[in-house]
Amino acid sequence: MKKQIQILINGKKIKAQEGDTIYEVAKRNNIEIPLLCFHPDLEIKANCRICAVELAEKRDLVASCSTRVKEGMEIITDSLKVKKARKINLELIFAQHKEECVDCVWRFNCQLLKLAKKYDVIINRFKDRKTRFPIYQFKNAIIFDSGKCIDCRNCVEVCHKQGVDFLELEEKKHLFHIVPSEKLNRDCVYCGQCIVHCPVGAFEGVGEFEDIEKPLKEKDKIVVAQFAPSIRTSLGEEFGLPYGEVVTGKITAALRKLGFNKVFDTSVGADFTTSEESKEVVERIKNNSLLPVLTSCCPAWVKFIEFFYPEFVPNLTTAKSPQSMLGGLIKTYWAKKENIDPKKIIVVSIMPCVAKKYEVEREEQLFDGLKPVDYILTTRELARLIMKNEIDFKKLKSENLDSAFGEPSGAGVIYGASGGVMESAFRTTYFRLTGKELKKVDFEEVRGIQGIKKAEVKIGPNCHKIAVVNGLGNAKKLLEEIKANPKEKYTCIEVMACPGGCIGGGGQPMPCYPEIRQKRAESLYDIDSKKKLRKAHENPIVKKIYSEFLDKDEKLRRSILHTYYHKKEKEGFTILDLNNK
Amino acid sequence: MQDIIKKIEKYKLLGRSGSRFPTGLKWETVKKTKAEKKYIICNASEGEPGTLKDGFILRTSPEKVIEGIRIALETIDNSSAFIYLKNDYYREFGGKLKTLSQGLPITLFEKKGGYLAGEETVICEAIEGKALEPRIKPPFPAEAGLWGYPTLVNNVETFYAIAQIDQGSYRNERFYSISGDTAKPGVYELPEDWTLKEVLEQTGNLPDFDFFVQAGGGAVGEILLPKELNKKIEGMATIIIFDKKKTDLNILMRKWISFFLRENCDKCTPCREGALRIEELLNEKNLNQVIWQDLFFVLENTSFCPLGKSMALPFSSLIKKLIVK
């Protein structure tokens, strides 16, 4: 139990716990202290110095994010000295940050501009020193404009935390720069955590601003949208709705208003993924081969395995990701049903993720020479498209999905949170191995925000060890554990690259803090618990499409629903032409 | 031996690294903090321009330094020691120090990195093999330093003084490094309470031409005019003498700023950006006092570590006394 103490903030008596930082106490008491380099996912670095406050005793300024309170401490958060320090340090920060406000991921929520206003900052007091700094692009997923970087180093830390270490510090002429690594054993996996941890928008998805309207300009095409499980509880944030608010029907309405001809739910794709994945699990358990089965619906995790741990490639399930399966079914089953030439269909996936941009360009995804999905828009990009078209999202009336793919099961919806794939697969695998339906479908052990969740599940006479991981750094830990201790046998391992799973993805609205992720996840579980249909294999549309279509042609089933993986060499980065942007 | 800490306190010995922290208090903190093991670090990373005294001591009295470390090892239970040497000192004195420390749990460590790598928390990072950046304080190394264990970090000269205190030969003297436009540069062992003027006079270094000095370090030291020499020296006992006629102030300031740009770690906004802007102002010969004063303000008040906090003083004192007046 921590000791209770009393301190003074701006003359007001406040109770605090010994060991808390000044910032934590102030936040609990609704006293505003600005922050830039602080992020609750990361270590306290105290680099930016914007959170400076004054200690009355000696009139010293200290960083409130890193200074711990003591009994009787007297703190002033808004003295002239504090304001002056914040103003000048902000002016120095602006002088290293190229202002590109119009197409910035923080455009509507820019902390720097808010602070500039509050502290009378002259944003061009000093010459911008980074105007000629390079802009890097990591494949078709991420852009890093180092001219906007304020050297807080959050990206380097989060990249390290992800076990990737692609972003690193390099000293050039006595100045440290953040750069993508040239080392052959380091490569980006496109998880996008650098984007959601950068306070000033130096990172963004490729095409975040330039390409969002492209799919809707495809003339003479039928443009079909599908949206991921996790975005139904996050998109609302972009329009000021409470964290975790469920907006499924509004998303459907917005997509129709934008001009998409059909709107489907990727969660239905997830029900197919569960179905296929579960078949693979059953098969591998029976043959006792290629265990543990590793999930493969997260493209950043797949690339992580292919690049850093190729020895585990055979363990990845070959089942395609939900959006890819649904995309394939749209261009085959649905096209056939509607008598449309598949080449005339454009599928657009709204995803919480920038790695999905990479996934859809993989040639291993093709079937019959066709891409299952043509465009990826992130949650943020969809929000911007809605704003650009002046659609009042908050006021939209909920609409139903187009009926061709029915409704998803609850299992398909929880795919958006860490543990969801495992829980969903477990509900179905249990049935397939025992012939009995699970009575209690909630699988609490694999839910929640811990990085590594381990459980043992009894299916029939056998006990299976499983693990659910979120965050690639945790995945790395588990893989190393498995390598060091091969006797520890897991049957199944679910990995999501991002903290909390897709609800914390690199394409999601910002800020993206633990408590926000938790609300997004809770709402997904809430949707599931309220559904009658909670198991993928019971979904009538899944049954129907298998019996009418997929089960009739094994080769077709494999080409639409399965893919393959292989060891990857470094893909690295390119430097964009400055004049081109 | 039990009362060495009392003796240190009786002599009011202050650390000789420049920060002038009471040595007795540091020893007591390390001794009383409970831990299964503790570390002692002798800081021989001397990196500031014009400061030569640690090298001088290692050359002339290395046995006294080892004796000071031995006393610390004996006073602090379950401790072992590192001597943290900058690379030329490692090459020059490493062999001798190894011989002298035979039988004692002392390891020599060759410093990587520059001036900042001599700051006590950066030393801990360096020995642990991490990036050379300062840590958030508290905790201070005396409570949680190397690998989280209580760690006593003292400078070469401090250990030298402790050996003297133990032997009863301490005479409240310290080492002054004198250089610059003078005929008798060198390291002098003289009373601690002497004024700068006394030091310069007694060593035959008081110029007969128009001059100013930088005192307390060849980068972070303050600029003092001849009329200001009736006081004791702060920080490091480093005195650099400048012939006023021959000295180009812009070049001198550019020398300082290139030192700071080279030696800082770029971690915090005021130190990284402040140093770059000072360089820019010097290149443009811009003496706009509003900007200079604003930069000094954030450097002094909001820098993460002592390097940034002390960067303003040489510039502010020089500008005030020799340029703006």
Side-chain angles (χ1 to χ4, degrees), chain A residues 44-49 61 81 85 88-89 93 95-96 125-127 129 150-151 153 174-176, chain B residues 133 136 261-262 265-270 272-273 276-277 284 291 294-295 297-298 301-304:
Chain A
I44 296 169
K45 291 183 293 298
N47 287 351
C48 75
R49 316 308 279 179
L61 295 186
K81 198 170 175 183
I88 301 164
N89 277 333
I93 284 172
Q96 59 169 154
R125 184 172 184 194
F126 301 97
K127 260 185 275 171
R129 71 173 174 92
I150 63 161
D151 292 302
R153 303 181 183 179
H174 306 306
L175 200 59
F176 284 95
Chain B
E133 286 173 13
I136 291 168
L261 284 168
R262 189 171 67 239
C265 75
D266 295 341
K267 175 181 163 72
C268 74
T269 304
R272 178 187 63 245
E273 299 303 316
L276 284 165
R277 295 303 159 180
E284 292 169 354
I291 296 178
D294 277 358
L295 294 177
F297 179 84
V298 287
N301 287 291
T302 67
S303 290
F304 187 98

Side-chain angles (χ1 to χ4, degrees), chain B residues 277-294:
Chain B
R277 295 303 159 180
I278 288 179
E279 187 193 37
E280 188 180 60
L281 292 173
L282 290 171
N283 286 343
E284 292 169 354
K285 298 205 160 67
N286 182 341
L287 285 169
N288 179 336
Q289 283 308 293
V290 181
I291 296 178
W292 278 97
Q293 294 305 324
D294 277 358

Side-chain angles (χ1 to χ4, degrees), chain A residues 60-324:
Chain A
D60 282 345
L61 295 186
V62 296
S64 61
C65 68
S66 63
T67 307
R68 314 231 166 235
V69 292
K70 282 190 198 135
E71 177 67 53
M73 197 182 245
E74 210 183 318
I75 299 148
I76 309 152
T77 66
D78 56 1
S79 67
L80 285 177
K81 198 170 175 183
V82 167
K83 287 180 185 163
K84 182 175 174 184
R86 287 184 189 159
K87 171 181 154 70
I88 301 164
N89 277 333
L90 280 165
E91 282 166 348
L92 290 171
I93 284 172
F94 267 104
Q96 59 169 154
H97 173 76
K98 197 166 66 184
E99 289 82 33
E100 280 204 323
C101 304
V102 176
D103 55 358
C104 174
V105 286
W106 285 104
R107 179 174 174 188
F108 298 102
N109 200 9
C110 173
Q111 185 71 357
L112 274 182
L113 281 176
K114 270 187 217 163
L115 293 174
K117 225 172 191 177
K118 186 163 178 188
Y119 295 100
D120 294 324
V121 169
I122 304 164
I123 66 174
N124 55 0
R125 184 172 184 194
F126 301 97
K127 260 185 275 171
D128 266 350
R129 71 173 174 92
K130 291 188 172 174
T131 45
R132 303 197 64 81
F133 271 41
I135 302 171
Y136 303 96
Q137 180 167 336
F138 314 154
K139 290 296 278 186
N140 65 329
I142 295 171
I143 286 178
F144 168 37
D145 185 343
S146 64
K148 291 174 81 179
C149 168
I150 63 161
D151 292 302
C152 78
R153 303 181 183 179
N154 278 3
C155 57
V156 176
E157 190 187 343
V158 81
C159 195
H160 174 70
K161 211 178 162 202
Q162 288 288 67
V164 172
D165 285 315
F166 181 58
L167 296 169
E168 58 187 23
L169 287 171
E170 187 186 58
E171 195 175 359
K172 295 179 200 165
K173 290 186 189 160
H174 306 306
L175 200 59
F176 284 95
H177 297 246
I178 290 165
V179 295
S181 181
E182 307 228 15
K183 296 187 185 90
L184 281 176
N185 60 352
R186 295 198 182 162
D187 203 9
C188 182
V189 301
Y190 321 114
C191 69
Q193 286 302 305
C194 47
I195 302 175
V196 289
H197 286 84
C198 174
V200 296
F203 290 86
E204 61 187 48
V206 169
E208 276 230 31
F209 300 88
E210 298 79 3
D211 296 345
I212 53 176
E213 285 172 307
K214 265 192 191 168
L216 291 166
K217 286 184 177 150
E218 297 264 8
K219 300 288 171 212
D220 315 320
K221 295 272 168 77
I222 294 159
V223 188
V224 180
Q226 57 164 315
F227 59 92
S230 68
I231 84 155
R232 69 202 63 205
T233 64
S234 65
L235 181 70
E237 291 167 27
E238 292 276 4
F239 304 95
L241 291 168
Y243 296 121
E245 178 137 331
V246 179
V247 291
T248 323
K250 283 183 191 292
I251 294 174
T252 310
L255 289 168
R256 287 216 182 94
K257 265 204 152 46
L258 286 169
F260 288 96
N261 302 102
K262 295 283 168 190
V263 181
F264 300 125
D265 188 339
T266 310
S267 300
V268 176
D271 283 340
F272 283 94
T273 300
T274 299
S275 208
E276 289 301 309
E277 225 169 81
S278 155
K279 273 181 212 161
E280 253 184 300
V281 172
V282 170
E283 206 172 293
R284 292 195 201 175
I285 288 176
K286 280 183 180 159
N287 301 335
N288 193 24
S289 75
L290 295 176
L291 295 174
V293 178
L294 304 178
T295 59
S296 67
C297 37
C298 169
W301 157 243
V302 168
K303 164 90 195 259
F304 186 81
I305 286 287
E306 290 180 314
F307 185 75
F308 292 105
Y309 291 92
E311 65 271 33
F312 283 99
V313 163
N315 295 72
L316 289 167
T317 138
T318 59
K320 280 184 182 168
S321 68
Q323 64 128 2
S324 194

